[in-house]
C-alpha cells in the first residue's frame, strides 16, 4: 500500500520529550480505570491536537549543511512544501543524505540542484532521484564533460523530472517566504572547467541571506564582484571546500559574512581548507564552521530577528561542534 500515491507520508522526527509523553499517555490509558481513564484519554487527545496545530503553524526555515565527507550537500528545509537539495554529496554517502531527508519529513523535493559535474557534489544524486520524488532538476546553462552529470540529466528526463537550466539573474520563491537568486554563471560565456562553471545561489528570508558557492573556484569570485548587485550574505558556504584561491579579501569584504561554513572531509588529500584561507577569515573575525570538525550543521533563520538580517549556525548533534 506504500506504493500507492498518497499511501504514506514522512514526518519530522519528534523530540525526545514528545516521545516520552506519547508513550506515557499510552501507558496511562492502559493502566487507568474508570473516570481516570477518560481524563487521560481526553488529555492525550487535546495534547495531540495541540501538537498538530503547532506543527501546522511551524514556519521555521533552516538550511542543513550535511557532513558528507569530502563533498557537499545542503537541504533548504522550508515550511510546508518547497524543499530544495543543493548537491547530493559523493555516492558512498547517498544513503545518509536520504536518511536525513526522511528524518526531516521530506516527502518531495521541489528541486535537486547540480551545481557542477564533480562527483563529490553529485555522486549521490542518482540514489536521491530513485528514493525521493523530485519536481525539477536545476543545473548550469551549458553541458558538462562529466559523464555522471550528463547521465543524471538523462535519468531525470526519463523520470519526467523537469530539467531547468539556470543562469545569472534567474530567481524565484520557495515556501516560508524564501527567495532564491542565481549569481553565477552567465549563460553567454561558455566555461570549460567544472569549478568555474559552478552554480552560485543566494537564498534569503527577509533581510537575512545565505550564499552557496558550490564548487566555485577563485575565478568565480571576481566575476560575481563585477556585477552591480552586491553579494551580501550573513552566512557564506565557501566554494571548492575552502581551496587556496577562494575567500579572497575583496570577496569577503563584499559579502561581509558573520560566519563561513566549509564542507570538507577530514584529513583530505587536497589539504583543504587552505591554511591561508583560514588565516584570512580569522584576521577578519569571521567564525568558521567545518563539517569535518562539527558534523552536520544547521543555519536557522530566526523569525524574531530576521528583520535585522540575522541567521545563526549551530551543530545539529549536541556532541559535535564547538
Amino acid at each position: 500500500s506504500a506504493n500507492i500515491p498518497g499511501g504514506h507520508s514522512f514526518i519530522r522526527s519528534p523530540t525526545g520529550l514528545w516521545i516520552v509523553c506519547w508513550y506515557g499517555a499510552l501507558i496511562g490509558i492502559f493502566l487507568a480505570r474508570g473516570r481516570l481513564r477518560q481524563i487521560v484519554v481526553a488529555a492525550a487527545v487535546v495534547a495531540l491536537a495541540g501538537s498538530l496545530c503547532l506543527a501546522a503553524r511551524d514556519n521555521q526555515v533552516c538550511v542543513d549543511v550535511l557532513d558528507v565527507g569530502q563533498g557537499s550537500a545542503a537541504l533548504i528545509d522550508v515550511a510546508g512544501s518547497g524543499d530544495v537539495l543543493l548537491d547530493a554529496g559523493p555516492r558512498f554517502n547517498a544513503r545518509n543524505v536520504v536518511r536525513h531527508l526522511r528524518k526531516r519529513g521530506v516527502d518531495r523535493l521541489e528541486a535537486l540542484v547540480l551545481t557542477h559535474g564533480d562527483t563529490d557534489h553529485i555522486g549521490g544524486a542518482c540514489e536521491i532521484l530513485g528514493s525521493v520524488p523530485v519536481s525539477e532538476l536545476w543545473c548550469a546553462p551549458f553541458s558538462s564533460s562529466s559523464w555522471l552529470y550528463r547521465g543524471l540529466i538523462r535519468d531525470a528526463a526519463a523520470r519526467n523530472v523537469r530539467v531547468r537550466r539556470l543562469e545569472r539573474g534567474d530567481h524565484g520563491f520557495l515556501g516560508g517566504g524564501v527567495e532564491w537568486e542565481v549569481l553565477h554563471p552567465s549563460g553567454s560565456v561558455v566555461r570549460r572547467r567544472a569549478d568555474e562553471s559552478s552554480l552560485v545561489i543566494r537564498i534569503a528570508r527577509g533581510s537575512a541571506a545565505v550564499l552557496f558557492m558550490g564548487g566555485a573556484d577563485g575565478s568565480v569570485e571576481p566575476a560575481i564582484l563585477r556585477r552591480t548587485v552586491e553579494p551580501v550574505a550573513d552566512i557564506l558556504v565557501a566554494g571548492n571546500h575552502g581551496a587556496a584561491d577562494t575567500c579572497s579579501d575583496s570577496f569577503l569584504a563584499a559579502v561581509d559574512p558573520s560566519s563561513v561554513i566549509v564542507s570538507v572531509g577530514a584529513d583530505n588529500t587536497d589539504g583543504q581548507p587552505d591554511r591561508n584561507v583560514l588565516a584570512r577569515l580569522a584576521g577578519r573575525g569571521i567564525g568558521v564552521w567545518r563539517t569535518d570538525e562539527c558534523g552536520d550543521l544547521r543555519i536557522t533563520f530566526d523569525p524574531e530577528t530576521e528583520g535585522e538580517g540575522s541567521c545563526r549556525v549551530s551543530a545539529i548533534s549536541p556532541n559535535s561542534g564547538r
Side-chain angles (χ1 to χ4, degrees):
S1 63
N3 292 327
I4 300 173
H8 71 282
S9 178
F10 292 92
I11 63 171
R12 291 184 180 180
S13 297
T15 63
L17 178 60
W18 195 96
I19 293 174
V20 170
C21 293
W22 173 258
Y23 282 102
L26 291 180
I27 293 172
I29 291 172
F30 282 108
L31 295 182
R33 293 291 183 270
R35 185 170 181 80
L36 180 59
R37 171 177 285 189
Q38 296 176 355
I39 294 174
V40 172
V41 171
V45 170
V46 171
L48 180 60
S51 64
L52 292 175
C53 290
L54 289 175
R57 294 178 58 188
D58 181 16
N59 65 345
Q60 185 185 62
V61 174
C62 62
V63 178
D64 291 348
V65 180
L66 306 182
D67 178 15
V68 292
Q70 185 67 5
S72 180
L75 172 66
I76 304 174
D77 190 354
V78 302
S81 60
D83 300 321
V84 171
L85 184 65
L86 280 165
D87 286 333
R91 183 176 181 180
F92 68 84
N93 249 323
R95 290 188 178 182
N96 291 333
V97 176
V98 173
R99 188 177 296 115
H100 186 84
L101 297 181
R102 301 304 194 204
K103 184 178 179 180
R104 294 298 295 170
V106 176
D107 278 319
R108 171 180 293 276
L109 288 170
E110 179 68 22
L112 171 60
V113 183
L114 309 180
T115 59
H116 65 307
D118 285 358
T119 57
D120 58 344
H121 284 246
I122 64 171
C126 184
E127 184 156 347
I128 300 298
L129 284 171
S131 303
V132 183
V134 176
S135 298
E136 296 184 343
L137 186 77
W138 295 356
C139 57
F142 28 76
S143 60
S144 169
S145 59
S146 167
W147 62 268
L148 176 60
Y149 191 90
R150 298 196 305 270
L152 286 169
I153 292 176
R154 290 195 299 268
D155 187 22
R159 296 175 184 273
N160 294 319
V161 176
R162 179 191 176 194
V163 177
R164 187 174 179 183
R165 297 190 178 275
L166 303 179
E167 61 181 273
R168 186 180 69 196
D170 287 341
H171 61 279
F173 296 89
L174 303 174
V178 175
E179 303 177 57
W180 60 268
E181 178 188 12
V182 177
L183 303 187
H184 184 83
S186 169
S188 60
V189 180
V190 178
R191 293 167 172 83
R192 299 184 181 277
R193 292 186 297 108
D195 291 345
E196 67 177 352
S197 63
S198 175
L199 285 172
V200 174
I201 298 178
R202 178 171 56 185
I203 69 163
R205 190 187 191 204
S207 56
V210 181
L211 180 60
F212 294 91
M213 296 299 292
D217 60 15
S219 67
V220 173
E221 295 179 358
I224 294 176
L225 293 179
R226 285 193 290 269
R227 291 195 62 199
T228 56
V229 177
E230 296 182 357
V232 177
D234 300 271
I235 310 296
L236 170 66
V237 183
N240 202 20
H241 318 292
D245 58 352
T246 62
C247 297
S248 65
D249 281 321
S250 58
F251 191 68
L252 291 175
V255 178
D256 193 24
S258 60
S259 297
V260 169
I261 293 177
V262 183
S263 182
V264 67
D267 301 321
N268 63 87
T269 57
D270 297 321
Q272 296 166 340
D274 182 73
R275 289 180 298 176
N276 293 327
V277 169
L278 296 177
R280 282 198 295 273
L281 296 174
R284 290 180 170 271
I286 299 173
V288 178
W289 296 79
R290 298 169 49 167
T291 56
D292 61 333
E293 295 179 350
C294 305
D296 296 339
L297 297 169
R298 176 162 295 158
I299 305 169
T300 305
F301 292 81
D302 191 340
E304 295 182 359
T305 58
E306 70 181 31
E308 301 172 5
S310 176
C311 49
R312 50 192 170 86
V313 183
S314 60
I316 293 178
S317 170
N319 296 321
S320 61
R322 45 186 172 177

